[in-house]
Amino acid sequence: MEYQILTQFYSRIEKTSRRTEMINSLVQLFRQTPKEIVDKVVYLSTGKIAPEYTGLEYNFGEKLAIRSLSRILKIPSHEIEKKVKEVGDLGEAGRLLYESLNFKPEGYLTVEEVYEGFLNIAKAVGIGSQEKKIRIFTSLLRKARAQEVKYLLRTITERLRLGIGENTILEALAIAFTGSSTNRDILERAYNLCSDIGYVARVFAGKGLEGVKGIKIEVGRPIRPMLAERMGSPVLILRKLGGRCGAEYKYDGERVQVHRKGDEFYLFSRRLENITHQYPDLIEFLKEAIDHDFIIELEAVVIDPSSGEVKPFQELMHRKVKYVTRYHILKYPVAGFIFDILYLDGEDLTLKPYPERRKILERVVKRTERVDLVPQRVIDKVEDMESFFYQAIEESCEGLVCKSLSSESVYQAGKRGFLWIKYKRDYKSVLADTLDLAVIGGFWGKGQRRGTFGSLLMACYDPDTDTFKTVTKVGTGFTEDDFKKLEEMLMPRKLNHKHPRIDSILSADIWFEPFLVLEITGAELTLSPVHTCGWGKVASSRGIGLRFPRFTGRYRLDKKPEDATTEQEIIEMYKMQRKIKVSFQKAEL
Ligand code: ATP
């Protein structure tokens, strides 16, 4: 398949600000794609080379790209740099240079060879790898036309900026191969179990829906995490869970999914990145504690080994480095509190109810100082939940996760549902919880901040329509350092128009591809005539906005934009907050 077909598609997507058009273009693209390479087309369209968990990255910065261009065009690097500055985008600069120099490509590019080339670039590591990467890239540039160069450059420097999300891909795949989006759920379930959208696409294109239904969990391939809903009172939680639940401590650390097969270990973060290198010590502790092959989930926290006391979340951030050394291990010692098991010695446990999974954990885990199960208590009284909650807070936890004990309480991979309900300390204030919102736009600053942005437009996620809906405009809580960091992170994701997956009444000065999630707090959620979150769902011609928003300082790099707080959660929080306000007012009377 000619690479040109893909770049024509990129160019169409880049111009549209309508999601339906985005889907239609994708459907057309999938229909034109030979079945055997549909996975490659999926990865390339999302700007990737393989699923995130493989950890494969190009590691090919703008400098290397410019050096490669310079070799091909036989002009000095500084001239190319000048052009990039002038047009503000490497891809566009490359395209213009190819045109003005009337570059004649040698032959033509195929999707297969572009993918192969990119894959080899990503795999090249160690001594001499830079030169090898440049050599492979120039061999692609040599065969490229002007339009293709633009996207080769953007892809390799990880700035494709099309923002095609996984849900959009799944919907388009369903339409392309079965004529309607009704089968999206089956694809989604398979994706939730294997976290590899390219693989799902290839199986679907080759073996149809039956093939997709056959996709199973596998050690080494992360399972998309099950998530909790939130509720503001033990009474409501117990009612929702049928009068009884298993309440567990909610530790505030890092969620880690650990896979083991013999001596092989794979550790995945909440957003399914491979973080095995970050916890060599935890791996040793787990070897000691569980003598089986398994997939478990735990919360990793830094502890004081002498007292066993759990340290604040910020301490764990010191372990977020490329190379964890003895220094990190001794200075920031970690412990793992296990809360679920999904697989044991070849058996998939995800369809077993939670009480059974917990029992299995109790049987197979040998508790040590560094590996333990999260404290759990079966609770059927409001007072017991309150006292267990305060006990958890005393022990530096955020609160509780209350879990259904019913026979239906399976592990719902990739889903947020009421089988798990979180009950946190913050829920006792008027704004029930902090929000994790995606940055989708910016507004120019005034005074000292002139010339760069002074506030950001923030959005929640609506999985039903796969769109981002605005909730607030935030300009406080940022330090000068934050602004610098944000500019560095956001500017490469700048778009010329509103992204097709953004639903906004407000018009931002700069639009961004949704990719960065920030934790935002505020005074309260109120009805709003300008924000689109919950539009028409709690009041006609009104949405829900957050008043007096403030950045908490926490970058949620562990979340993708699609992991931002959902529209439905905000609607629930708005309702919950009204109840809390009424109870405050009653208490004051
Ligand atoms: P938050 O920002 O509140 O951590 P989240 O969106 O990351 O929320 P949720 O599913 O809403 O995830 O809340 C559950 C999170 O709490 C899990 O992702 C996990 O990291 C953490 N956690 C801590 N203790 C437990 C536990 N006992 N059971 C399940 N999750 C737990």
Side-chain angles (χ1 to χ4, degrees):
M1 176 174 165
E2 283 192 43
Y3 184 53
Q4 195 184 197
I5 297 180
L6 199 55
T7 58
Q8 281 162 355
F9 157 78
Y10 289 161
S11 161
R12 267 201 308 279
I13 293 281
E14 213 183 337
K15 290 194 191 92
T16 184
S17 48
R18 300 229 309 275
R19 186 173 176 270
T20 43
E21 246 176 72
M22 191 179 206
I23 298 256
N24 290 341
S25 300
L26 262 171
V27 169
Q28 268 181 38
L29 176 70
F30 290 146
R31 287 189 176 150
Q32 289 178 60
T33 304
K35 287 185 172 138
E36 324 73 68
I37 61 162
V38 72
D39 50 346
K40 299 184 168 89
V41 165
V42 164
Y43 296 133
L44 289 173
S45 305
T46 48
K48 301 206 177 80
I49 192 68
E52 217 156 327
Y53 68 80
T54 59
L56 271 183
E57 281 177 16
Y58 300 120
N59 286 319
F60 199 93
E62 194 163 303
K63 282 230 160 66
L64 289 195
I66 289 176
R67 260 166 64 192
S68 316
L69 259 184
S70 153
R71 280 193 202 174
I72 284 289
L73 296 175
K74 304 197 172 50
I75 53 173
S77 291
H78 65 85
E79 268 184 43
I80 301 174
E81 278 161 19
K82 205 169 118 206
K83 192 76 185 170
V84 175
K85 268 218 179 94
E86 201 181 294
V87 292
D89 171 56
L90 172 68
E92 198 51 29
R95 184 181 75 81
L96 291 171
L97 285 169
Y98 262 54
E99 271 177 6
S100 62
L101 296 170
N102 202 11
F103 182 81
K104 294 269 173 301
E106 290 172 15
Y108 68 94
L109 281 172
T110 63
V111 169
E112 290 87 333
E113 67 185 318
V114 169
Y115 181 83
E116 191 71 21
F118 280 170
L119 185 64
N120 289 332
I121 288 174
K123 282 184 177 164
V125 286
I127 302 166
S129 62
Q130 248 195 24
E131 185 48 39
K132 185 169 177 197
K133 283 175 194 273
I134 293 184
R135 247 194 351 260
I136 302 172
F137 193 56
T138 47
S139 72
L140 296 177
L141 291 178
R142 191 167 294 122
K143 293 174 113 181
R145 286 167 259 209
Q147 172 83 334
E148 294 170 327
V149 163
K150 170 171 159 182
Y151 294 108
L152 286 176
L153 288 165
R154 283 193 181 167
T155 307
I156 199 77
T157 54
E158 293 180 36
R159 293 176 185 180
L160 190 58
R161 288 181 298 195
L162 298 180
I164 305 175
E166 274 112 12
N167 284 333
T168 311
I169 299 263
L170 291 175
E171 188 168 339
L173 280 170
I175 299 172
F177 297 121
T178 64
S180 105
S181 62
T182 44
N183 293 310
R184 188 182 119 172
D185 285 356
I186 297 172
L187 298 182
E188 203 177 312
R189 177 164 161 76
Y191 175 52
N192 286 336
L193 294 180
C194 73
S195 308
D196 183 347
I197 198 150
Y199 177 65
V200 174
R202 202 180 63 226
V203 173
F204 188 35
K207 299 190 184 150
L209 276 178
E210 284 314 306
V212 173
K213 284 183 195 162
I215 292 178
K216 299 272 178 315
I217 61 175
E218 229 173 67
V219 174
R221 257 188 346 203
I223 299 165
R224 299 189 71 224
M226 172 167 178
L227 300 168
E229 283 285 352
R230 59 164 77 66
M231 282 184 125
S233 89
V235 177
L236 294 178
I237 294 175
L238 278 175
R239 198 179 298 156
K240 188 84 187 173
L241 294 175
R244 239 169 119 248
C245 70
E248 293 183 354
Y249 278 15
K250 184 178 193 304
Y251 284 97
D252 189 15
E254 175 169 31
R255 181 178 191 153
V256 187
Q257 194 176 96
V258 187
H259 293 221
R260 177 185 192 176
K261 192 175 203 174
D263 279 341
E264 274 171 55
F265 272 80
Y266 307 87
L267 272 58
F268 301 106
S269 69
R270 185 190 183 292
R271 62 179 294 173
L272 311 182
E273 285 157 328
N274 191 323
I275 51 165
T276 312
H277 63 283
Q278 261 171 38
Y279 296 107
D281 43 349
L282 191 55
I283 290 176
E284 291 308 312
F285 302 139
L286 283 165
K287 269 187 196 161
E288 230 175 87
I290 316 175
D291 195 14
H292 295 267
D293 288 347
F294 58 75
I295 301 177
I296 55 163
E297 285 202 310
L298 56 83
E299 196 77 2
V301 290
V302 172
I303 55 155
D304 175 348
S306 55
S307 63
E309 188 195 331
V310 173
K311 297 282 194 68
F313 169 79
Q314 286 74 7
E315 296 279 301
L316 196 63
M317 288 300 100
H318 298 285
R319 295 286 292 252
K320 296 251 139 232
V321 288
K322 213 164 183 176
Y323 302 104
V324 168
T325 60
R326 231 176 98 74
Y327 164 80
H328 298 101
I329 290 173
L330 294 175
K331 182 117 202 274
Y332 306 105
V334 293
F337 290 97
I338 305 171
F339 58 82
D340 221 320
I341 181 157
L342 316 182
Y343 168 96
L344 184 72
D345 296 329
E347 193 189 355
D348 177 349
L349 304 178
T350 54
L351 295 177
K352 292 208 181 297
Y354 158 70
E356 258 186 68
R357 302 202 304 277
R358 174 85 194 184
K359 260 201 207 112
I360 295 174
L361 274 179
E362 283 165 5
R363 179 165 54 80
V364 300
V365 177
K366 198 161 81 215
R367 299 173 183 219
T368 66
E369 272 180 11
R370 299 299 190 87
V371 174
D372 205 342
L373 303 194
V374 287
Q376 187 242 37
R377 192 180 287 172
V378 172
I379 280 175
D380 57 7
K381 287 195 194 64
V382 170
E383 315 80 82
D384 292 350
M385 191 180 291
E386 281 290 5
S387 74
F388 198 49
F389 171 78
Y390 284 111
Q391 191 180 315
I393 299 283
E394 282 280 291
E395 293 184 36
S396 312
C397 292
E398 281 186 302
L400 301 176
V401 184
C402 302
K403 300 187 174 177
S404 163
L405 297 169
S406 86
S407 56
E408 320 266 273
S409 57
V410 296
Y411 185 91
Q412 288 183 315
K415 290 255 178 308
R416 191 183 290 282
F418 281 100
L419 289 177
W420 288 6
I421 304 176
K422 52 185 173 178
Y423 177 44
K424 295 200 328 198
R425 186 172 33 191
D426 318 357
Y427 301 174
K428 301 213 170 247
S429 57
V430 172
L431 177 68
D433 199 356
T434 51
L435 304 178
D436 294 324
L437 301 177
V439 184
I440 56 158
F443 297 89
W444 299 123
K446 299 200 176 74
Q448 271 190 332
R449 302 220 43 73
R450 189 177 290 277
T452 175
F453 43 75
S455 60
L456 300 172
L457 186 58
M458 309 296 298
C460 64
Y461 179 59
D462 174 13
D464 293 336
T465 55
D466 189 29
T467 54
F468 294 90
K469 299 182 173 176
T470 71
V471 183
T472 198
K473 209 169 123 177
V474 61
T476 50
F478 301 105
T479 61
E480 269 313 304
D481 269 358
D482 284 324
F483 274 122
K484 253 193 231 134
K485 192 163 157 187
L486 284 165
E487 197 171 331
E488 273 169 30
M489 292 168 111
L490 291 168
M491 282 320 205
R493 307 284 182 147
K494 199 175 94 178
L495 302 171
N496 292 334
H497 55 75
K498 185 160 71 76
H499 190 274
R501 292 166 67 212
I502 291 174
D503 178 359
S504 174
I505 296 171
L506 288 175
S507 180
D509 295 334
I510 333 169
W511 292 108
F512 300 116
E513 172 195 355
F515 85 101
L516 176 67
V517 178
L518 302 179
E519 189 180 80
I520 306 291
T521 184
E524 62 175 329
L525 293 165
T526 53
L527 291 178
S528 157
V530 295
H531 288 297
T532 48
C533 165
W535 191 263
K537 292 183 179 167
V538 282
S540 66
S541 305
R542 288 275 189 284
I544 300 174
L546 176 66
R547 285 183 68 214
F548 303 123
R550 187 167 49 79
F551 174 47
T552 63
R554 195 156 168 179
Y555 294 80
R556 292 296 311 243
L557 301 180
D558 58 333
K559 292 195 169 183
K560 290 187 191 168
E562 289 82 6
D563 296 323
T565 307
T566 62
E567 177 184 45
Q568 192 53 37
E569 283 182 277
I570 293 181
I571 294 174
E572 297 296 331
M573 285 169 76
Y574 173 76
K575 292 181 185 160
M576 188 153 108
Q577 171 194 281
R578 284 187 37 192
K579 281 188 196 132
I580 292 174
K581 270 168 89 177
V582 171
S583 70
F584 277 1
Q585 282 156 2
K586 278 189 190 149
E588 278 166 13
L589 286 176

